[in-house]
Amino acid sequence: MSELTLTLIKLGFLAVLWLFVLSAVSVIRSDIFGTKATPAPRQARPKPAAKSRKPSRGVPTKLQVIDGPNMGQSVPLGDAPILLGRGTDAAIRLDDDYVSTRHARFATNGEQWFVEDLGSTNGTYLGSQRITSPIPIGIGIPVRLGKTIVELQK
Amino acid sequence: MTAPAWIPRKRRGAEFFLTVLAVVIGIAAYAAVGLGAEGRIPADTYKLGLGLIVVAVATHLIVRRVAPYADPVLVPLVIALNGLGLAMIYRLDIGRQQIDPTRQAFANGQLVWTAIGIMAFAGILILVRDHRRLQSLTYTFGAAAIALLILPLLPHIGRSINGARIWINLGPFSFQPGEAAKVCLAIFFAGYLVVKRDALALAGRRVMGVDLPRGRDLGPILAGWLISIGILIFQNDLGSSLLFFGLFVVMLYVATERAGWLLVGAVLFAVGAYLSYLAIPHVQVRVDAWLNPFADPDRNGQIINGLFGLAHGGVLGQGLGQGSPQLTPFSFSDFIGASMGEELGLTGLMAILVIYGLIVERGLRIALTCRDAFGKLLAAGLAFSFALQVFVVIGGVTRLIPLTGLTTPFMAQGGSSIVMNWAIIGLLLRISDQTRRPAPEISTFDRDEETQVVKHA
């Protein structure tokens, strides 16, 4: 076995070794160097609520109680947050025994409305999901508080 | 507001490609050893090649079947290290038997242990379908760890090799229970800290900008410290005691997010290290050999040989089979890092260290993305113990820190080490499969009847 062949084998082996290391790095590249931030086109942004429910587009103007003891009542939306509950400081005083005094709050950041549970006893539900943090909601999505169901309307 | 959407991907194809490369590395290393040392490709290359391919295909299929979302790079990285280790042990068998033909050959035994390790890996993936189940066995694992640590001290079963009493006899084999104890301890610490971390984190006072834990919460850390000192005194095993203590301190830090624990740990480590330096002659020898190896070339021959080997290797190495790493005592286990450095050079040793680094990175990444606290702690603990072990052993060989007897994961000769390290990879893959799996889909349609707290009309 000539000296030259052995040297070539040696260098070739080191090259393969590093090729392996670099391919492993390239597989996990996004984990090490972070994901590339590409501004996604607006339509492409996933809107899970929009997919299943198709709420009418536009700006909501009122919060409507659509089921429960206070059915039919509504409150116009402004910039101020709206408090729902049995207490006297609530925007709609719900006569529902299963609603807490200060139950949930609807608030906006100027473009999007959020619903937030204020530590109520029986919880605030979006579908079958009990909410634990402020969740953005769109028009026509029913939110359940105790026996009451409210939604944003145009 | 729009966080980048995490798309769960299996990446099993990428894993397959990397596994093929890893197998090629293993077989090429074996063939290169034969060419370099004896001028011909070893006759049983096809046997080893077939073995490696079977092993790789088997692990790949097992992962595809039982952990389809598991991390795609861990297994190939480990197979590459294992293949390199096997080739180097085979190379050292040739070299050592040239010096003295009666010396024991280790390569075949190592191959058998690798197979057992992969069975352990598969067994863990198949038996542990959800790592959270392990949390209910917290104290069982704690007791198992203590039992495993005590085993070598028992008469008849325990065995003392080269001054350290850390082996047990298992029929014709000897086994190092400390390796298994490490995994059990990691599970125990994770389970214990998940429950206790609030008490440890929230009660305490601030001294000089550092949150120090309360006195009574120091109990567990002191117990951990005493256990590791006990191992050091009774079993004469510097490396394991360092590893267990480091593991415990870091897991405390991860669980409580208090840097104070690191400070307390560092102080306790310094005190323990200094006291053991004063009290244990064995430790004095190690520190001496680290600070001043050339003062006593006869006694420090091993580390001097290792350093000469690294220097002999240079940047590109002597080439597989063409150096003389066999001259170093324990070149196949403790000093396999130096043997690699001699034959693959700085370039090859760096590649190996990067592979280790990537394994640790994957472990920590699994811990970061894991959704439950127990899995987080367990993955972080396993990854850190892996990192600490590599640091201690490679640091010892390269004279960065005093030499301690720990094994180089996946490369050093030694059955218990390779089996338990495969088991660790099995656990990490299980956690990562749980982590990377897509979250169960939440349907948005009304489920009024189910969610209504009070049924009404």
Side-chain angles (χ1 to χ4, degrees), chain A:
Chain A
M1 191 61 49
S2 77
E3 197 72 11
L4 180 67
T5 330
L6 284 175
T7 311
L8 285 180
I9 290 174
K10 175 177 94 178
L11 295 179
F13 184 76
L14 288 176
V16 173
L17 196 56
W18 273 102
L19 177 71
F20 170 72
V21 171
L22 294 178
S23 356
V25 168
S26 82
V27 169
I28 53 176
R29 184 183 58 222
S30 63
D31 273 6
I32 295 178
F33 301 111
T35 38
K36 211 187 225 174
T38 43
R42 265 192 103 77
Q43 311 90 300
R45 195 177 290 169
K47 277 192 179 163
K51 242 184 262 165
S52 57
R53 219 159 259 283
K54 295 208 191 336
S56 42
R57 296 207 165 265
V59 186
T61 56
K62 61 178 179 182
L63 180 68
Q64 177 91 34
V65 179
I66 57 172
D67 199 0
N70 296 69
M71 190 156 78
Q73 290 190 19
S74 68
V75 58
L77 300 177
D79 287 335
I82 293 170
L83 180 71
L84 292 182
R86 283 197 298 148
T88 44
D89 55 342
I92 303 179
R93 251 187 92 186
L94 299 169
D95 295 324
D96 183 341
D97 289 343
Y98 303 98
V99 166
S100 299
T101 313
R102 310 182 82 237
H103 192 109
R105 183 166 56 193
F106 285 73
T108 180
N109 62 359
E111 40 185 84
Q112 175 83 49
W113 280 85
F114 294 87
V115 61
E116 180 186 10
D117 186 71
L118 298 173
S120 63
T121 312
N122 293 325
T124 305
Y125 288 87
L126 216 68
S128 64
Q129 209 51 18
R130 185 170 180 160
I131 64 172
T132 51
S133 59
I135 305 277
I137 55 163
I139 293 170
I141 296 182
V143 177
R144 172 186 290 284
L145 308 80
K147 293 201 284 186
T148 304
I149 297 175
V150 298
E151 67 174 31
L152 295 180
Q153 288 184 351
K154 249 210 277 204

Side-chain angles (χ1 to χ4, degrees), chain B residues 309-321:
Chain B
L310 286 173
H312 191 210
V315 173
L316 290 174
Q318 289 296 315
L320 281 168

Side-chain angles (χ1 to χ4, degrees), chain B residues 295-438:
Chain B
D296 190 350
D298 289 333
R299 195 188 64 193
N300 305 331
Q302 188 187 28
I303 192 155
I304 292 176
N305 261 331
L307 290 175
F308 281 169
L310 286 173
H312 191 210
V315 173
L316 290 174
Q318 289 296 315
L320 281 168
Q322 295 160 74
S324 37
Q326 68 271 18
L327 297 177
T328 314
F330 293 101
S331 51
F332 49 86
S333 57
D334 289 5
F335 269 71
I336 200 157
S339 306
M340 288 285 180
E342 178 166 357
E343 304 230 307
L344 297 176
L346 184 69
T347 320
L349 197 57
M350 281 298 148
I352 290 168
L353 287 181
V354 171
I355 293 178
Y356 278 126
L358 288 177
I359 294 177
V360 173
E361 192 270 343
R362 293 325 288 161
L364 292 177
R365 165 64 56 176
I366 291 167
L368 277 180
T369 47
C370 186
R371 287 186 284 257
D372 65 296
F374 175 73
K376 250 184 205 312
L377 270 175
L378 184 56
L382 292 175
F384 174 77
S385 74
F386 199 87
L388 186 63
Q389 191 165 348
V390 172
F391 172 75
V392 164
V393 68
I394 301 283
V397 166
T398 51
R399 211 164 70 84
L400 180 68
I401 55 173
L403 185 66
T404 52
L406 276 180
T407 53
T408 323
F410 294 111
M411 292 207 300
Q413 184 271 331
S416 24
S417 162
I418 211 153
V419 172
M420 289 328 291
N421 278 312
W422 270 105
I424 288 177
I425 296 297
L427 276 177
L428 282 178
L429 279 195
R430 172 47 70 216
I431 301 174
S432 106
D433 178 46
Q434 293 277 337
T435 305
R436 292 161 53 94
R437 187 172 290 189

